Amino acid sequence: MYTLRQLLIEELSDIRNESADLPSGTDSAHYHPYLSIMYFNISLTILLLPCLFTLSVVSSKNIISISLKKQKTNETLELIGRHMKGLRLLQGRANVTLYDVQDTYYYGTMNVGTPPQTFNVNFDSGSADLWVPSIQICSTDPSFCERHKTYKSSTSNTYKKDGQQFSITYGKGGASGFVSQDNIEVAGIQVTGQVFGEATSIDSAGMAPYFDGIFGLAYPKLSNIGTNPPFVNMIRQGVLDQPVFAFYLNKDDSSEDRGELVLGGVSSDHYSGNFTYTPVLSLSYWIIKMDSVQINSNAVSGSQQAIPDSGTSFMYGPSHVMNVIINAIGGQYQNGLYIVPCSSTGSLPSVTFVINSTPFVLLPEDYIVKISGVCVSGFIGETSFPFFILGDVFMRKYYTKFDMGKNRVGFAKAKTIGNPSTPKDDSDDSSNSAFKLQDISVIKHVLVILIICCSHYIY
């Protein structure tokens, strides 16, 4: 037994030596592939420790609960969320695959209650509340319940009654009902005691039939319910590595990788180059400053405020600016949208939004959205708007990082890739080869420890 313990101590010593070889300047408080591997080694070592002291706990069931249980949960969620393309987990991160509907809506799944009740939700950076339809809506709007899932508090063991009323109005549509409290889960990341809305009345104007509710990601100050949004609770409950989330919205119809939301970091597979950061002006919306708006490098507007908003399909702005753009691209008004002849899209100008002295250029293939064979302008003017909304048209071109820890927004050029990505800390500058070498080290440590355990079991 003494020899087995010594071997285990040597393995732990190797782990510490590897951690000492981390690149200089690495912040151990944040996620890093080297540290992630180290934590994985330590976790496995601790979990396998009982092998050295007793035979009764050495069982395939325990091993399955360590390595396979989360994977099985993923498979179940994928089956329940029929519109999902996949779901991947990493400790301290949540990687949520988003489903794309004609480049106008992106949504994913989440669970509420115990046992979990699964909903399709719009992950919306432009609002701060979580709400899902209540079962009570079926009594007043039976047709709604034929198309959507509803929350049944009576079947949840972790439900707590609140009862206060809420009402939320969006740019188009809204919801009202009463407040409840329950546990929620997004891609394996759990929040206990989340306060949310049970909607008993939903104004369907502007609300897509593809999702059931809305998952707000803005600051608490914007909450109509008057509570912390789920993302803030994730930070406070310590289930994320960083107070950061990021969106990737893919426009490539040939790719199965339609979009993803990463909670707790960024996905380096989905952007290239460096981020351009700009501070948040007010801790309510994610509102930032734009230096100017240009058409073919000619300024049509000076400094403006803007809100990057994953829950808005198009780009909105003050009419006196947007009308100039719409006229330049030949948009013709029709039922609230501006239609452009598809034959002319190749000759249309570029439109540039300058943020923190960096030009973010949209080409016709970026701002023209093709819906059912019709070419629609991604720009819409609103007389009452004192700011711009950088909706999905903008966020498809530019990977967008929302940093609540440093109160800033970052933009980087998005890239299209068909394979699933691994969420990671964008402060990690290590190469893929270095990561693989550490991965080999993990296998070495695990095999040695397993051999020790197996030897103990045999003899």
Side-chain angles (χ1 to χ4, degrees):
M1 184 64 72
Y2 175 80
T3 302
L4 295 177
R5 288 176 179 173
Q6 283 298 108
L7 284 172
L8 181 58
I9 291 171
E10 289 176 8
E11 283 302 303
L12 290 172
S13 178
D14 286 344
I15 293 170
R16 286 195 297 268
N17 291 336
E18 287 171 10
S19 67
D21 293 333
L22 294 178
S24 61
T26 300
D27 184 355
S28 62
H30 296 305
Y31 172 79
H32 191 288
Y34 290 94
L35 289 176
S36 178
I37 297 300
M38 184 184 72
Y39 295 152
F40 182 54
N41 281 333
I42 294 172
S43 297
L44 280 175
T45 303
I46 292 171
L47 286 167
L48 289 170
L49 257 172
C51 297
L52 305 180
F53 300 98
T54 174
L55 296 178
S56 63
V57 297
V58 178
S59 67
S60 59
K61 180 179 179 180
N62 283 344
I63 294 173
I64 289 174
S65 69
I66 296 169
S67 61
L68 297 180
K69 188 174 182 179
K70 286 187 177 180
Q71 180 62 37
K72 183 172 179 61
T73 302
N74 284 347
E75 294 171 353
T76 303
L77 289 175
E78 288 175 4
L79 290 174
I80 296 175
R82 58 183 180 179
H83 296 302
M84 297 287 283
K85 294 295 184 185
L87 200 60
R88 297 171 292 280
L89 301 181
L90 191 65
Q91 183 180 2
R93 303 294 167 91
N95 186 346
V96 185
T97 299
L98 304 179
Y99 190 78
D100 172 24
V101 182
Q102 292 190 329
D103 293 330
T104 54
Y105 299 105
Y106 294 83
Y107 63 92
T109 65
M110 68 166 295
N111 292 329
V112 181
T114 309
Q117 302 175 44
T118 305
F119 298 89
N120 294 324
V121 293
N122 181 350
F123 290 96
D124 179 20
S125 63
S127 65
D129 290 302
L130 167 66
W131 63 262
V132 294
S134 169
I135 185 65
Q136 295 185 22
I137 199 173
C138 298
S139 60
T140 56
D141 190 358
S143 62
F144 178 90
C145 297
E146 294 174 0
R147 307 185 305 273
H148 297 276
K149 302 178 180 70
T150 57
Y151 172 74
K152 307 171 186 65
S153 62
S154 60
T155 66
S156 175
N157 299 328
T158 47
Y159 161 78
K160 292 183 179 179
K161 183 178 180 180
D162 183 300
Q164 69 169 313
Q165 300 297 302
F166 82 93
S167 179
I168 303 173
T169 301
Y170 302 98
K172 292 183 178 180
S176 61
F178 58 92
V179 176
S180 294
Q181 180 178 317
D182 208 334
N183 296 346
I184 67 169
E185 178 203 8
V186 182
I189 298 295
Q190 296 184 352
V191 174
T192 59
Q194 176 63 47
V195 175
F196 66 100
E198 282 194 58
T200 56
S201 176
I202 299 173
D203 180 0
S204 60
M207 305 292 287
Y210 306 99
F211 54 83
D212 307 308
I214 290 182
F215 187 109
L217 288 161
Y219 287 89
K221 184 178 179 181
L222 196 62
S223 170
N224 288 74
I225 294 176
T227 189
N228 286 328
F231 181 70
V232 173
N233 281 333
M234 289 179 182
I235 297 169
R236 293 192 171 188
Q237 294 181 21
V239 295
L240 296 178
D241 289 331
Q242 297 183 89
V244 170
F245 63 91
F247 277 96
Y248 164 72
L249 307 179
N250 192 2
K251 193 178 182 180
D252 183 5
D253 292 334
S254 64
S255 171
E256 292 186 358
D257 190 19
R258 303 314 304 273
E260 72 172 7
L261 163 66
V262 178
L263 301 172
V266 298
S267 174
S268 61
D269 284 348
H270 283 148
Y271 70 89
S272 60
N274 298 320
F275 281 97
T276 295
Y277 291 103
T278 185
V280 175
L281 302 179
S282 174
L283 305 186
S284 54
Y285 290 102
W286 290 93
I287 191 163
I288 61 175
K289 176 187 174 183
M290 285 197 313
D291 301 334
S292 65
V293 181
Q294 304 171 358
I295 300 177
N296 281 343
S297 301
N298 298 314
V300 296
S301 173
S303 177
Q304 299 277 350
Q305 292 184 346
I307 301 171
D309 181 6
S310 62
T312 299
S313 304
F314 299 102
M315 295 188 65
Y316 289 81
S319 294
H320 70 276
V321 179
M322 284 302 199
N323 288 346
V324 175
I325 299 174
I326 292 168
N327 290 335
I329 66 177
Q332 299 295 316
Y333 184 81
Q334 183 177 323
N335 296 326
L337 298 174
Y338 291 88
I339 310 302
V340 176
C342 292
S343 58
S344 68
T345 56
S347 61
L348 298 181
S350 64
V351 180
T352 301
F353 299 86
V354 182
I355 301 171
N356 197 11
S357 302
T358 303
F360 293 89
V361 181
L362 296 182
L363 301 176
E365 57 263 34
D366 303 318
Y367 63 73
I368 296 298
V369 181
K370 200 165 187 178
I371 303 176
S372 301
V374 178
C375 290
V376 179
S377 163
F379 303 113
I380 299 176
E382 290 285 351
T383 305
S384 60
F385 271 37
F387 50 78
F388 281 76
I389 294 181
L390 307 180
D392 296 346
V393 167
F394 185 88
M395 291 176 63
R396 274 193 291 272
K397 181 71 174 286
Y398 297 103
Y399 188 90
T400 306
K401 172 185 175 182
F402 299 82
D403 188 340
M404 193 170 281
K406 296 182 179 179
N407 297 318
R408 63 181 183 174
V409 178
F411 302 101
K413 183 70 178 294
K415 60 182 180 181
T416 300
I417 183 168
N419 296 324
S421 61
T422 300
K424 61 187 290 186
D425 184 345
D426 61 302
S427 64
D428 171 31
D429 295 324
S430 60
S431 65
N432 289 333
S433 60
F435 185 86
K436 290 177 181 177
L437 288 173
Q438 289 293 314
D439 204 17
I440 292 172
S441 176
V442 172
I443 297 173
K444 181 193 74 172
H445 291 306
V446 172
L447 286 176
V448 170
I449 295 171
L450 285 175
I451 291 170
I452 294 171
C453 291
C454 290
S455 299
H456 180 64
Y457 178 77
I458 292 171
Y459 296 107

